[in-house]
Amino acid sequence: MKLLHTADWHIGRTLNGYSLLNEQKHAFKQILQLAKDEKVDGIVIAGDIYDRSIPGTDAVTTLDSMLREINLTNKIPIYAISGNHDGAKRLNYGREWMEFTNFHLNTLLDEAFTPLETEDTQIFMLPFFDPMDARVYYKEQGMDEDDVKNIHTINDAMELVLADMYKLFAPNKKHLLITHFSVTPSADQEIELTSETSSKVGGLATLTASQFDKFDYVMLGHIHTRFASPSENIRYSGSPIKFNVKEARLKNKGKGVDIVNITPDKITTEFHEIRPQTDLIVLEETWETLLDPTFYKTQPTKSDWFAITVKNFDRSKHINVRAQLQEIYGTVVELDYENLRKDTTAKIADKNISELSPDSIVEQFFQSVTGNDLSKEQKRLVDSIFVDLRKED
Amino acid sequence: MKLLHTADWHIGRTLNGYSLLNEQKHAFKQILQLAKDEKVDGIVIAGDIYDRSIPGTDAVTTLDSMLREINLTNKIPIYAISGNHDGAKRLNYGREWMEFTNFHLNTLLDEAFTPLETEDTQIFMLPFFDPMDARVYYKEQGMDEDDVKNIHTINDAMELVLADMYKLFAPNKKHLLITHFSVTPSADQEIELTSETSSKVGGLATLTASQFDKFDYVMLGHIHTRFASPSENIRYSGSPIKFNVKEARLKNKGKGVDIVNITPDKITTEFHEIRPQTDLIVLEETWETLLDPTFYKTQPTKSDWFAITVKNFDRSKHINVRAQLQEIYGTVVELDYENLRKDTTAKIADKNISELSPDSIVEQFFQSVTGNDLSKEQKRLVDSIFVDLRKED
């Protein structure tokens, strides 16, 4: 059995207001092509399919069309679960119709205890859940009230869930698990690789690899880089694209998917890179370097997106900083100045704010935030607004 | 061919904050039972399936379970379109999977030109659309730019749409249409029956029956009462439940669904009433009558919902009006006083508002809106808030 393992699509996500939908579509095309080339028996999407519980209309129609292309046009089975970003109940809509064409979707805990069976493999699909979901589920299962109340952490809950899964194990089959949690190599290790690892927040406390070792292979979602994989057989595929500057800053930043080959003898993993259409480039340079043609001519093309930090920058000497950089680099999705905070504080502290005229305050605020002076046109506008306000008084 | 015609389910709707979901589930049970008893060949849902474009999670899971019961558990085909309340693109999600089990769903104009064919019948499913949707569609069809710009009203658009449908007519079959618009018997008539008839607002201008007379039968949604049906063969089923006091006030208020029987010779319609679980009772009586046991003992049970207008009411003589009425009648979802506005104006006009103390203003406002005086506890709270505010000054 051959599966393509991907996760954390986050359809509908934006980066500082810039839509990532085109980038996500471009990554999807490569994933679909790979699935066809490799003749996989299914595509695993290990949670965080959408970016939020109530996705925008664009996100809904985009996902619908991706799923149709995989499952209806190309007749490739889908094994999908919801992640912490998905609205589990909303995403559940239509699930039973999708089952007819081998689009398997689990979003609720009680759906996790019916493994999908092939001749030699059992696939367990466990969507993201929190301790409260587990309490509700085990209460419905008739568990003793006191025992239910003892489910406090995700570790408490996972222990019960896994024990119930082990009971369903067919002895002569391989056992696969698809799930969406933070899993570390051992209890005292914390992964510090992506923004998704604020590990103790919101019931997202980490689990440890040893908890899952009865499974032959675990396909994870939640952490956006495959380098966070806790072991050879418990793996994150990572997200197919970079979502933010933090992810773009990582040394090992290649994004992609895994092809997982399951044979009676062994299970092997093969990583396949997904190439960005619009890459996210992080630059941290001085103003002089950034404007130096010998530097910027070696940089990627204008069609990429740039996140730029200007080092040792005296903003009082420059105007239209963003405009100048966009002229050279194209789309600047993030612009920072080293020591920005210090400068700002210093300026405002120069004078008691009540001694400044209202238009001077607007001007200084604008400069602090954007690094640019107000243009003549902007100054005129600010002035006229204050004049109008004065008239109203 | 035998079809059950229903419309305007508005799943997720509330009445003054009271959820109608239980009432909608109760109506649904009767619809499903009728469909089974009558062995229908399909259930037609003629739009406004949800109450709004982004329905709540409860609404999504409720609708999903209703559709599953019809189509998966009982294998009854569904013919559904979106109405003006539905989010057409969102509701479209999953449509192509549902098609496999004869759950036919159209939410976009371009889906309307593929009629469903049986041996002797063509069913056209035309979702609600507005003139702008028609412009987009006909532009994509390669229509001349100037002609596209001439699509101003829903009448302009409908003329084109119907002409395109007529081209698809198979000559020896019956032609049915399912759609969701305001249709009047003739151009100079306006229906004044329900809240859904603010007919010129938002592109919902009315169409006339004669436009549709090439069809053998038209199943409409949009207007919530079957008495608005413009002709014998162009019919509203009405909504299965009452949604508001205006609907409860109508003389002919029985809610239900139609069983439409299509034979080569003729088409007959048979109305079947849907009985409420919690009825909405409108009372307009004097205070004395409302509190008189010989009156209220003849009223429906406490499990119903009451919308009460107290006639000729001098509120200054009463406290806790709502509480007293709830004690007798149960749930009071709406409470009005005759001449409320006049009284309020009179009181406020008594004194220049600037001469009143802040707590007196709150007290008078509370009384105007609720008909009750502030309780001692409430007065104390109001006082202490104003004292705190004064301290902050």
Side-chain angles (χ1 to χ4, degrees), chain B residues 12-24 243 278 305-306 322 326 330-334:
Chain B
R13 186 139 174 169
T14 57
L15 170 55
N16 295 338
Y18 291 83
S19 169
L20 292 165
L21 219 44
N22 279 336
E23 196 56 24
Q24 287 166 323
F243 290 120
T278 302
W305 285 357
F306 286 83
R322 183 181 284 268
Q326 304 230 75
T331 308
V332 177
V333 295
E334 236 177 82

Side-chain angles (χ1 to χ4, degrees), chain A residues 50 54-57 60-61 63-64 67-68 71-72 89-98 100-101 103, chain B residues 50 54-57 60-61 63-64 67-68 71-72 89-98 100-101 103:
Chain A
Y50 286 126
I54 304 182
T57 302
V60 173
T61 56
L63 181 67
D64 189 53
L67 297 173
R68 275 189 281 124
N71 188 243
L72 298 181
K89 285 182 178 173
R90 297 183 91 85
L91 188 56
N92 202 270
Y93 177 83
R95 163 182 189 267
E96 297 199 16
W97 282 274
M98 289 151 179
F100 289 116
T101 54
F103 173 1
Chain B
Y50 286 126
I54 304 183
T57 303
V60 173
T61 56
L63 180 67
D64 188 54
L67 298 173
R68 276 189 280 123
N71 187 242
L72 298 182
K89 285 182 178 173
R90 297 183 92 83
L91 189 57
N92 203 268
Y93 177 83
R95 163 182 189 268
E96 297 199 17
W97 282 273
M98 289 151 179
F100 289 115
T101 53
F103 171 2

